[in-house]
Amino acid sequence: MRLRALLDTDALGLRLLGGEDELDRSVRGVMTTDLRDPSRYLSGGELVLTGLAWRRDADDSEPFVRILVQAGVAALAAGEAELGDVPDDLVLACVRHRLPLFAVHESVAFATITEHVVRQVSGERAGDLAAVVDRHRRMMTSGPAGGGPDVVLDLLGSDLDLRAWVLSPTGRLIAGSKVGAPALPADICARLAAEHLAATRTGRRGPHRVLLNGTTYSLFPVRSSGRSPQAARDVRETVLSDWLLAVEADAGDWPGERLDLLQGVTQLIAVERDRRDAARTVRRRLAQEVLELVQTGAAPAEIAARLRVAAPVLLPGLGAAPHWQVVVARVEWEGEQIEGGPVAQSLLEEVLVDPLATGPEPSDRIAVAHTGDEAIALVPLPAVSAEHDGSETGLLAESLLRSVREPLSAGLDDDGRLTLGVSAAVHSAEGLRGALEEARHARRVAAARTGRVCAAGHQELASHVLLLPFVPDDVRRAFTARLLDPLTDYDRRHRAELIPTLEAFLDCDGSWTRCATRLHLHVNTLRYRVGRIEQLTGRDLSRLEDKLDFFLALRMS
């Protein structure tokens, strides 16, 4: 704002004593002081308010004004409440140094002037920043532009004193202002993501306000550019993939202009998100091609050739062929059928990034495909020497989910589940088929557990699935007969289809709704059949141990 605007505002009670030719100076802030030397608190462009307590005699005015001029202040306003009229020596010193001087009527509080200046300056800054955001968004939409969302987050920090961060749905820090905004601790990021996902699942409109450790944050959803909040048929289709903008402020009392500005920032971030997803297209296609070759039983040489093409894309500069791991994930919702494959694909791409990594780049080395409701990741690992010391390498199932369990559980709420399985590392095309089956078996073991977010690794299969061929035949027959013969006999006498029902129930991970849909049964009919299975065998299909026993018996039968 200009000094002239202050003089034209009658409610401020300002009277010009000198500097009429300087009234077009810009005011960027306001400061009240009675220090003899306030220079260390000045950054330039301020309107300085003073009650003149620093002045003992006429000789004090000249050095005080000189200090203000050297600091680059815009003007000085002296109050008349204590000394009455502003002393002539101060007026003359300001004239000599061409510093505009105002007298403040004794009936006007300095707080009134401060509030007016801050409100006007903030409004103008917001308008300028909005123009920058809009221009930057257009640049990013039309083609590559440097800076990404970090540039605008820095502007929020420098011009509006707003500390802000972009987070993934798992709580990973993607971007943050470098101006006055230190990196958020990982636990705060996870809690903010959880609060955001929980609020989104309940249908609350953003921004969502959250109080953590005495600090208020406002959380703004970042949706894909061009997609309105109503574009998705069901919030569950996008809740686990959308980013969020966390601002350290209470947006509840913000004017509409500032809220509009932050919405513009989220649109800018959405452009960056869409660009990142577009860059993943090649990696997704590579994963899809390799997966199709593996599942159709293609020759190892053909799979190896495809892997040689994939390796430089996923691990640029790598000299030797890497080891590979396979990770299988499934996101399932109760009730209405929702396509789970794309949701699991997007989520798995995020989960496989080191939670301590920042920015979108680390995910550029992960290839994830999806088929049906299942997402399958082909994860390259730099080849290690000599299968070397026998130590465990690669991804560990439980560590993948440890830091993301809280936010994802909030997003899944009480009607969704994420289950994940991890294979051992393999170093040849021949091993990929086995790694895929291993990861799928591990995911089924995870699905048999309780909880919204569960994972299992290849280590947990060593005691049963991988050792089944080595169980003596008489032990296998006795085990399966004890569990399955009562059901087989009942099916033969009553045509009750208990064995197919058991297989479907375990394959659906104990989901009543999905199992009933698959078998074309009413849920009550399914519950009757499962109850009969439990009655005949003395087992409880809500217990993990009994589910695993039935799973093994069916595998060995």
Side-chain angles (χ1 to χ4, degrees), residues 311-462:
V313 176
L314 300 176
L315 288 177
L318 189 67
H323 290 191
W324 302 92
Q325 268 183 292
V326 176
V327 182
V328 173
R330 195 162 184 161
V331 174
E332 297 163 309
W333 307 97
E334 295 288 350
E336 183 179 342
Q337 290 295 320
I338 298 174
E339 188 178 5
V343 177
Q345 180 183 46
S346 176
L347 187 57
L348 190 52
E349 287 171 333
E350 180 59 42
V351 167
L352 290 174
V353 178
D354 182 348
L356 298 180
T358 58
E361 292 78 12
S363 61
D364 290 352
R365 297 185 177 186
I366 298 165
V368 183
H370 75 83
T371 174
D373 288 335
E374 193 177 58
I376 301 170
L378 188 65
V379 182
L381 304 172
V384 291
S385 58
E387 281 67 16
H388 307 333
D389 51 5
S391 60
E392 187 66 43
T393 60
L395 303 172
L396 300 178
E398 186 56 32
S399 63
L400 283 176
L401 297 184
R402 186 178 299 120
S403 62
V404 302
R405 182 169 276 109
E406 179 184 1
L408 292 184
S409 295
L412 293 163
D413 199 17
D414 61 355
D415 60 350
R417 289 197 78 199
L418 166 67
T419 52
L420 183 145
V422 181
S423 77
V426 297
H427 59 274
S428 67
E430 291 87 346
L432 277 181
R433 180 67 177 267
L436 176 58
E437 290 305 313
E438 190 175 62
R440 282 174 167 161
H441 283 314
R443 192 206 65 79
R444 293 191 187 101
V445 170
R449 296 170 175 164
T450 58
R452 291 291 163 192
V453 179
C454 298
H458 62 92
Q459 306 91 335
E460 299 171 72
L461 303 181

